[in-house]
Amino acid sequence: MSRGPPPWSLSPTRRTRRSCPTPSLGHMYGLTHAEGQLATLLLQGLSVKDAAVHLHRNLHTTRTQLKQIFQKTGTRRQAEFIKLLLSHPALLAREAPRSKRP
């Protein structure tokens, strides 16, 4: 029995949750839900313009949110921000390869 998408999903059917899609990042850096959605899409490799289209937001709004993310995370460039995200322990734990048991 499927319960639907997880609460952090970017699915348009689930828009009531207001926390960051990646809760540990939201808590650690104080990101809003909208900033967390943008961070998640950038981490997946989308450009700022593509993320704006995906989120149905104005490009100017998305760039403003990215500037807020930079301020909150102490980064200055998108590549620096992505590097910070990729070094985050919660993301490393999710991406760690699972060992095969004999």
Side-chain angles (χ1 to χ4, degrees):
M1 180 170 150
S2 176
R3 298 167 122 180
W8 60 86
S9 172
L10 297 176
S11 170
T13 60
R14 182 82 168 188
R15 295 195 184 259
T16 57
R17 188 165 172 96
R18 301 285 20 134
S19 63
C20 177
T22 310
S24 59
L25 289 176
H27 182 307
M28 180 175 247
Y29 299 112
L31 301 182
T32 65
H33 179 73
E35 293 164 351
Q37 286 180 314
L38 176 57
T40 301
L41 292 175
L42 295 175
L43 186 59
Q44 293 173 358
L46 271 68
S47 68
V48 175
K49 183 177 179 180
D50 290 340
V53 170
H54 181 83
L55 294 169
H56 307 287
R57 294 185 190 140
N58 182 292
L59 181 58
H60 179 75
T61 300
T62 305
R63 285 185 177 147
T64 299
Q65 289 170 338
L66 184 58
K67 288 176 188 178
Q68 291 298 316
I69 291 171
F70 290 163
Q71 184 178 2
K72 291 177 180 182
T73 59
T75 55
R76 293 181 184 202
R77 303 183 64 85
Q78 192 171 328
E80 183 182 2
F81 172 63
I82 297 301
K83 182 178 178 182
L84 176 71
L85 290 182
L86 291 174
S87 67
H88 191 273
L91 293 175
L92 291 175
R94 281 189 355 193
E95 299 297 324
R98 296 180 184 180
S99 61
K100 294 182 181 178
R101 296 186 180 205

